[in-house]
Amino acid sequence: METERKKYGVGFGGAKLSGTFGGDGDWAQEELCFGFVVENDYYNVYRIWSRAWLVTK
């Protein structure tokens, strides 16, 4: 997660993600988001993912 944050930036409207989904730069901006899914609790299989999303204020 830290590698992704360094690569794309953090916070609302990260510099490297700006404009990738057509955000207007004010009300709708791109942001780096993370997710965590338990795929199999018995075998301790987990998935952590990151994705750029167009979010609003």
Side-chain angles (χ1 to χ4, degrees):
M1 288 174 59
E2 190 62 35
T3 302
E4 294 288 299
R5 287 180 177 170
K6 287 179 183 176
K7 183 176 181 180
Y8 295 107
V10 294
F12 198 62
K16 292 198 178 186
L17 297 175
S18 294
T20 54
F21 295 129
D24 64 9
D26 180 38
W27 187 75
Q29 295 183 13
E30 294 79 2
E31 186 173 353
L32 185 63
C33 300
F34 295 92
F36 178 80
V37 177
V38 178
E39 298 226 356
N40 187 310
D41 192 35
Y42 181 78
Y43 290 108
N44 297 322
V45 179
Y46 306 101
R47 182 183 304 194
I48 300 173
W49 51 267
S50 68
R51 177 180 302 164
W53 288 62
L54 184 62
V55 295
T56 58
K57 287 184 181 178

